[in-house]
Amino acid sequence: MNDTATEWSLRHPRLDDFRFRIHHVVLVAFLPLLLDYAWMLYMRWRMPPGPCPWPIVGNTFSLPDVKPWYHFERLSKEYKSPVITFWIGRNPTVWINDAWAANELLVKRAGVYCSRPRMLVFAELGAGQSNLLNMYTITPAQRDRFRIQRKLTHQGIGVQQVIRYRNFQNDESKVVAYDLLTTPEEYVEHFERYATSVVSIIGFGRRVASNKDPIITEVIALMHRAASLNVPGKTFPMLMETFPWLAKFPNWMAPWKHGLGSTRKSKHTNHDFFYSLAAEANASDRANYSKFLFQETPKYNVQPLEISALSANLLGAGSDTSSSTLITAVLAMRAFPDALRPAWQELDRVVGKSRSPAFDDDLPYMRALVKEVFRWRSVAIIGGMPHAPVADDYWNGYLIPKGCWTQGNVWAIHHNERDFPDPDRFNPRRYFDTDDARPFPGEKGYMTFGWGRRSCAGQYLAEQGTYLSVARLVWGFRVGPAVDKATGEEIPVDIFDYTDGLNWRPRPFRVLFKPRDEEIRRTIVREGEQALRDLAEFDGESKYRFSTFFE
Ligand code: HEM
């Protein structure tokens, strides 16, 4: 201190003391922040590369407004690493942008990456932590419960079980072809009805005969909205992942929660909506998955919330995904007619016109075409849900800490020029021994259904249904350009114009469906009418409506 300052502080000792205290308070207030930031930088140094996070907010505000999967793909190229770290608030998240790294971590080390991370919006405020989709598998007790839920799901829709569903799944797909003859402009609604009806017959023993059924207009619409909100982003509700304390506010004073986590009571029962649907199905004479869950209750001590979630998952995970995949197939059929020609030759040779394709027909090109549908624009574009390691793990010397949000960027994985040359081209030849084929980890040739122990439990049902439906569409129809009535011009389609949700689908586009041939048209009518007669055994109504269920 110089002389003047010493003199001044001797004359004003109180003020000096005040200044000292202020410094102290500032230091005490900022010290945790500094330490926390030092921890973030230390973790950044140890974890896979990625942009430098800011204190508290991490990289959240560098996220694009929509479709962050493009951003993660760019970052992966920028940092020259297939695995990158991106900070959502104070949480490091790891993004895998390459099939080989995904295979190395999520498949070969499936026993490590079998848990889910903390998901505030989707799990804690949304579908619930005890829902199979969100379950932790860190402790032995959690793992036991997970195994039971997974087993119960397999007993409903596992690889053996879905063979039993093939007939009605095929019939529902015949009804779609039939409906396309009369109301082709409503093709999206037909696919939604088909997909919802299949899982409703399995889950509740009741078909969904119309796309005005409240299961579609209320329940699926709600689930669709939830999936569209669940994309890492810098707006609410996902911004709560960055500022978790905002979730603690009660709903009435927290509009940012979008109603998530509400505890509305039913006016009918003490149970929730899906439990009520399941109980209603249990009381019916028809075999269905809900009935099976009630039967297994004593053996596995299945709780009401579990019955509710396991049956709801069929609708939540199985409807939107399956219908969106069929919309993508139509877009591909419209945009890449050349890819269909070998399919038509094969179909005409093997199947003919007097019947539509059956599951067991030997149609290798069609199998490849359906694989390409799954790859080209995979519906679960960021692999559905994140995984989390149950212990600290290392990739190429980088740390991936226990519990870390670890997500496969399916967009980047299926869009890698090395594995899929000219990746935006719809090209079934990739799956044959041709110049366009490249090595890919695993037998399937795509990673559309996730990985390891958390891979999609409905995969076999979805693959079976998509195959039956796409094969029938290609066999039955030419998908040509719609014509603008006012201008007489053909309406183009944009193969990049997709929605922004976690499960994306093409934005509405217009096409013209034309039966390929008069005999084929007659076959579609005959088979459609027969299918409706055969499906009549599943007709029925639920007494519950989601919109009027709560007080
Ligand atoms: C084209 C259709 C479908 C696609 C692309 C799809 C995709 C996915 C993906 C990517 C996951 C996350 C996997 C992971 O975390 O590694 C998943 C999970 C799941 N899916 Fe599907 N899915 C489809 C249809 C279905 C159907 C039809 C059902 C049931 C009827 C279903 C039930 C489930 C369940 C229960 C899980 C959670 C598994 C767990 O966390 O253990 N999915 N699905």
Side-chain angles (χ1 to χ4, degrees):
M1 235 186 259
N2 63 31
D3 287 352
T4 331
T6 317
E7 205 178 297
W8 192 86
S9 71
L10 283 172
R11 267 195 278 134
H12 303 280
R14 283 224 182 127
L15 212 60
D16 203 37
D17 187 42
F18 176 71
R19 267 177 26 175
F20 174 77
R21 275 163 197 257
I22 286 282
H23 279 141
H24 203 75
V25 168
V26 168
L27 195 69
V28 168
F30 278 90
L31 194 63
L33 196 71
L34 279 174
L35 287 177
D36 187 63
Y37 192 46
W39 170 82
M40 284 171 77
L41 294 178
Y42 172 66
M43 290 303 278
R44 177 179 184 246
W45 174 66
R46 295 187 68 195
M47 290 183 66
C52 186
W54 291 92
I56 303 171
V57 297
N59 305 119
T60 301
F61 291 98
S62 70
L63 279 171
D65 291 335
V66 290
K67 300 189 172 80
W69 39 94
Y70 297 145
H71 186 60
F72 298 131
E73 183 190 40
R74 268 194 303 274
L75 288 176
S76 164
K77 288 182 181 156
E78 191 181 321
Y79 286 90
K80 296 188 177 42
S81 171
V83 182
I84 56 158
T85 307
F86 188 90
W87 289 74
I88 303 280
R90 298 176 55 261
N91 280 328
T93 63
V94 163
W95 290 81
I96 308 173
N97 294 278
D98 164 288
W100 301 88
N103 191 54
E104 177 63 36
L105 291 170
L106 304 179
V107 180
K108 289 194 184 156
R109 301 183 209 171
V112 177
Y113 288 86
C114 57
S115 193
R116 298 287 188 208
R118 181 178 186 208
M119 292 183 281
L120 184 58
V121 176
F122 195 83
E124 290 177 22
L125 298 175
Q129 199 62 59
S130 62
N131 187 316
L132 174 69
L133 300 169
N134 303 327
M135 279 176 99
Y136 298 131
T137 55
I138 295 167
T139 65
Q142 288 168 346
R143 273 199 290 280
D144 280 351
R145 206 61 210 157
F146 169 73
R147 268 189 223 111
I148 287 175
Q149 285 212 20
R150 195 76 201 189
K151 183 171 176 185
L152 288 169
T153 305
H154 279 305
Q155 285 173 339
I157 48 174
V159 63
Q160 290 306 319
Q161 308 305 318
V162 302
I163 298 171
R164 295 190 293 134
Y165 308 145
R166 204 173 279 167
N167 276 349
F168 65 74
Q169 201 174 22
N170 204 13
D171 280 343
E172 285 292 15
S173 144
K174 288 178 183 169
V175 173
V176 171
Y178 182 55
D179 287 342
L180 283 174
L181 292 178
T182 44
T183 46
E185 65 290 349
E186 292 176 18
Y187 67 95
V188 170
E189 285 83 351
H190 298 325
F191 294 155
E192 284 175 342
R193 188 209 60 74
Y194 152 83
T196 312
S197 190
V198 168
V199 283
S200 175
I201 295 175
I202 297 171
F204 308 101
R206 175 181 93 80
R207 84 179 281 253
V208 173
S210 147
N211 51 35
K212 305 280 178 301
D213 189 303
I215 278 286
I216 293 187
T217 55
E218 299 177 357
V219 180
I220 299 293
L222 186 87
M223 290 171 162
H224 192 83
R225 195 169 151 264
S228 70
L229 290 174
N230 249 296
V231 179
K234 55 189 179 192
T235 51
F236 287 115
M238 281 304 267
L239 197 54
M240 281 188 284
E241 299 286 355
T242 300
F243 304 115
W245 48 272
L246 284 175
K248 294 198 192 309
F249 286 79
N251 271 19
W252 62 267
M253 59 186 296
W256 57 83
K257 284 171 84 176
H258 286 245
L260 287 160
S262 93
T263 48
R264 286 190 296 165
K265 290 221 165 19
S266 158
K267 55 188 175 200
H268 306 277
T269 76
N270 288 331
H271 296 296
D272 65 16
F273 177 72
F274 291 106
Y275 182 89
S276 307
L277 281 189
E280 185 185 43
N282 183 38
S284 87
D285 298 335
R286 288 183 206 137
N288 58 67
Y289 181 57
S290 300
K291 198 185 269 290
F292 164 77
L293 289 176
F294 277 95
Q295 276 158 8
E296 297 301 287
T297 294
K299 187 165 159 200
Y300 295 111
N301 188 22
V302 190
Q303 299 299 304
L305 258 183
E306 291 180 307
I307 292 186
S308 158
L310 286 167
S311 55
N313 282 349
L314 302 187
L315 292 169
S319 170
D320 183 31
T321 46
S322 304
S323 55
S324 298
T325 303
L326 296 180
I327 304 171
T328 278
V330 170
L331 183 62
M333 286 171 73
R334 161 69 180 85
F336 299 92
D338 286 349
L340 302 183
R341 276 180 243 291
W344 286 330
Q345 282 165 8
E346 186 180 74
L347 286 161
D348 289 345
R349 188 167 33 83
V350 178
V351 178
K353 297 173 182 170
S354 59
R355 67 166 179 93
S356 60
F359 193 78
D360 296 326
D361 284 329
D362 183 20
L363 300 170
Y365 189 85
M366 185 52 72
R367 299 258 167 217
L369 189 142
V370 175
K371 276 177 187 266
E372 183 68 344
V373 168
F374 283 133
R375 186 228 40 113
W376 181 61
R377 295 285 185 263
S378 317
V379 49
I381 197 63
I382 46 177
M385 329 286 294
H387 290 223
V390 293
D392 283 358
D393 190 39
Y394 290 87
W395 176 82
N396 270 6
Y398 294 117
L399 170 72
I400 301 180
K402 177 179 174 181
C404 177
W405 185 302
T406 308
Q407 191 138 13
N409 183 358
V410 174
W411 167 260
I413 289 172
H414 283 168
H415 212 249
N416 188 321
E417 286 273 356
R418 181 200 56 212
D419 301 330
F420 301 103
D422 196 1
D424 287 313
R425 197 166 130 232
F426 182 85
N427 177 14
R429 284 168 40 90
R430 303 178 196 282
Y431 293 101
F432 291 107
D433 191 10
T434 64
D435 292 352
D436 301 332
R438 294 288 183 277
F440 193 81
E443 296 156 14
K444 299 254 173 191
Y446 52 77
M447 291 186 164
T448 310
F449 292 93
W451 306 266
R453 296 194 188 163
R454 298 315 277 252
S455 65
C456 174
Q459 171 165 2
Y460 303 106
L461 184 70
E463 286 177 332
Q464 174 172 284
T466 307
Y467 178 74
L468 287 167
S469 301
V470 174
R472 181 162 289 107
L473 276 177
V474 175
W475 166 83
F477 296 91
R478 277 176 209 283
V479 178
V483 175
D484 187 326
K485 278 197 185 125
T487 63
E489 306 262 320
E490 288 186 353
I491 301 174
V493 289
D494 179 354
I495 59 167
F496 293 96
D497 191 16
Y498 269 65
T499 56
D500 301 327
L502 179 82
N503 290 333
W504 71 350
R505 58 164 62 180
R507 288 217 174 81
F509 60 95
R510 285 176 54 199
V511 289
L512 212 67
F513 283 92
K514 254 177 97 177
R516 275 207 303 135
D517 173 292
E518 177 49 26
E519 190 183 347
I520 286 183
R521 194 194 64 77
R522 283 200 304 270
T523 305
I524 294 174
V525 172
R526 194 188 69 244
E527 290 190 347
E529 287 173 350
Q530 182 60 45
L532 282 170
R533 282 192 290 276
D534 292 345
L535 287 166
E537 63 167 307
F538 301 112
D539 283 345
E541 280 245 1
S542 169
K543 68 176 184 215
Y544 297 112
R545 296 281 176 278
F546 193 72
S547 53
T548 54
F549 188 77
F550 300 100
E551 283 173 334

